[in-house]
Amino acid sequence: QAISFPTTTCTSCSAMGERKLGLGILGAARNVPFTVLQPLRANADLAARVNIVGLASLEKSEAESFAKEWGIAKAYSSFDELLADPAIDAVYNVLPVAVRCHWTVRAIMAGKHVLSETPSVLNGREALVAQRAAEDAGKVLLEGTHPTCHPVTKRVRQMIMEGKIGTLEHIDLDMPVGHSVQGKMVCSKTGALMGVGVHGVAIVRALAGEEPTVVSAVAQQSTENKDIDAAMSCNLKFPSGAGAHIGCSIVPTMGKAPTKFCISGSDGVIRVQEWFTGQGKSSNEIALEQFAESGEQWVERVDNPVNRDTFYFQLMTFVDEVFEQERGQNMGMPWAYHSKGPVDSVRNVALIDSIFRKAGMKPRDTATLPPAPYDHIGKSKL
C-alpha cells in the first residue's frame, strides 16, 4: 500500500523581500559542483536565496581555473581575501580536514557564518572550540551531515515516535564508500569512520533521538596505512535499551553496495535503501512491516522531486538557520538553533572518538591549531 508523504519547506523560504545569502567557497574540492552548484542551478527556490560570490584556493591561478570551469564569478588570491570581502555573509568550508577547523574558526572570527564539509573537525576537542568560537562571535555554524536533512530521514524518525513499530529495539545501518561524496581518494586518507561513518553516526543519533555509548568496535586496517581504517563495524547502546550497529567501508569491492538501514521494534520493522544518493537514483521509499493484528506491509513514498537531493535540503536548512537567527536576539547561541547546531557536531565527533578507542585505534590528532584564543581548552592545548 503506497502512501504519499509530501515534503514541505520553511515559510521563510518564500518570504518577500528576503535578501540573498552571499556565499563564499573556501577550497576547490571536486565535490563543489554537486554539493552546491547543481542544487542551486536545479532549484529556483534555492537560487533565489543564495548567491555564490566567489571561490578561494591555495593558489589564485587554481581558483581562477576552477571558477571559470564552474561558472563562479570571482576568484580570490587567498583565503584571507575571501574572508575580508563584505559581500560574503557565509562560507562553505571544503578545505582538507587537517586545516578545516582552523579555517572555520578564522572565518567565524572574520564575521562569517559557516557550513562545513564533513568531517568538520578531526576530534571532539576541535568541535568544542569551533562551537565556542561561533557562540562568542554570534555566528551560525553547521556541519554538513546532509543525510539527516533529507525528508526520508525525518519521516522515519517521525514513524518511530508515532509508535509505528512499537518500542524501538535496534537500528542497523550499512554504508559503503559509494555513499561518500568526498571520493575514494579522500576517503582513503581520512578512513572509513571519518570519511563515511561520520554520516552513519549522525543518522543513527537522529533516528534514535538519544545519545549512545559504544559497546564494541572492530576496525579493518588499511593495507597502505595501518593508522587508517579501511572498514569499521561498531555496536552502540542507547539509554532506552535499544541498540544500533553501524558498518562503514572504503574497501573498493564494497563500492557499489547500496546504503541501507533497518529499524526493528517490538511490533514491526522499517527498511529504507538509497534514500539520499540524489541525481534520480534515490528510492525515497520507506517499507514498513507491522507484526500486530494481520501483519500488514506498507510502502510509503516520500513525494520528493528528483532535483531535490540531500544537498538541496542541507543548503536550505543552512540558509533558513541564518535568516531565522538573524530575526532573533541570540544568534549563535545553542538555544537559538531551529535545526542541529554545533552542539550536535560535538556529540557526533565525540562518539567517533569513542568508536576509535573501542576499536583499539587512537582518535585523530589536531594537525593545525585554530587561532588563539581557540587553540586550547582551559589550560590544555589541543
Side-chain angles (χ1 to χ4, degrees), residues 96-105 119-133 141 194 342 345-346 349-350 353 364-370 374-377 382:
V97 66
V99 298
R100 200 168 285 164
C101 178
H102 174 90
W103 282 102
T104 286
V105 173
S120 61
V121 294
L122 284 168
N123 52 62
R125 295 171 70 83
E126 283 191 0
L128 185 58
V129 296
Q131 176 194 350
R132 289 179 176 178
L141 171 61
M194 293 290 279
S345 181
V346 171
V349 184
D353 288 350
R364 300 287 186 259
D365 289 326
T366 294
T368 306
L369 285 174
Y374 304 105
D375 56 347
H376 63 278
I377 298 175
L382 288 184

Side-chain angles (χ1 to χ4, degrees), residues 26 31 37 52 58 66 128 135 150 219 224 227-228 231 255 281 300 316 328 348 370 380-381:
L26 276 179
N31 66 325
L37 304 183
I52 304 297
L58 290 173
F66 281 109
L128 185 58
E135 291 173 359
H150 197 280
E224 299 175 359
D227 294 324
I228 295 295
K281 299 177 182 177
E300 182 169 320
M316 197 61 93
N348 220 42
S380 176
K381 286 280 187 180

Side-chain angles (χ1 to χ4, degrees), residues 19-70:
R19 79 176 198 281
K20 281 192 175 185
L21 184 74
L23 187 67
I25 300 174
L26 276 179
R30 282 292 180 180
N31 66 325
V32 169
F34 56 87
T35 58
V36 179
L37 304 183
Q38 288 180 16
L40 281 169
R41 291 165 183 167
N43 297 277
D45 58 340
L46 182 59
R49 309 184 74 208
V50 178
N51 174 41
I52 304 297
V53 179
L55 173 147
S57 189
L58 290 173
E59 301 289 339
K60 186 174 183 180
S61 59
E62 183 180 53
E64 289 173 340
S65 175
F66 281 109
K68 182 178 180 180
E69 178 184 345
W70 296 339

Side-chain angles (χ1 to χ4, degrees), residues 168-185:
L168 177 64
E169 294 180 345
H170 195 266
I171 301 172
D172 194 11
L173 174 62
D174 287 313
M175 307 188 78
V177 72
H179 156 71
S180 177
V181 301
Q182 302 180 70
K184 296 180 182 179
M185 183 178 295

Side-chain angles (χ1 to χ4, degrees), residues 221-226 228 230:
Q221 293 180 321
S222 168
T223 56
E224 299 175 359
N225 185 343
K226 64 180 181 61
I228 295 295

Side-chain angles (χ1 to χ4, degrees), residues 235-307:
N235 293 298
L236 310 175
K237 196 74 173 179
F238 294 97
S240 63
H245 170 262
I246 301 172
C248 51
S249 171
I250 57 172
V251 177
T253 55
M254 292 291 291
K256 294 183 179 180
T259 295
K260 56 186 179 180
F261 65 72
C262 176
I263 302 107
S264 304
S266 57
D267 295 327
V269 178
I270 298 172
R271 295 183 178 87
V272 184
Q273 179 171 302
E274 287 297 10
W275 74 105
F276 52 73
T277 304
Q279 308 303 312
K281 299 177 182 177
S282 295
S283 156
N284 290 324
E285 288 187 351
I286 303 169
L288 169 64
E289 180 180 359
Q290 293 179 311
F291 302 149
E293 298 177 356
S294 60
E296 292 182 299
Q297 294 186 5
W298 304 74
V299 174
E300 182 169 320
R301 180 170 178 80
V302 172
D303 186 15
N304 182 47
V306 170
N307 54 308

Side-chain angles (χ1 to χ4, degrees), residues 173-222:
L173 174 62
D174 287 313
M175 307 188 78
V177 72
H179 156 71
S180 177
V181 301
Q182 302 180 70
K184 296 180 182 179
M185 183 178 295
V186 176
C187 281
S188 67
K189 297 177 181 179
T190 60
L193 184 57
M194 293 290 279
V196 184
V198 61
H199 294 294
V201 168
I203 292 168
V204 165
R205 289 179 52 248
L207 291 179
E210 298 181 274
E211 297 304 329
T213 55
V214 185
V215 176
S216 62
V218 178
Q220 177 185 331
Q221 293 180 321
S222 168

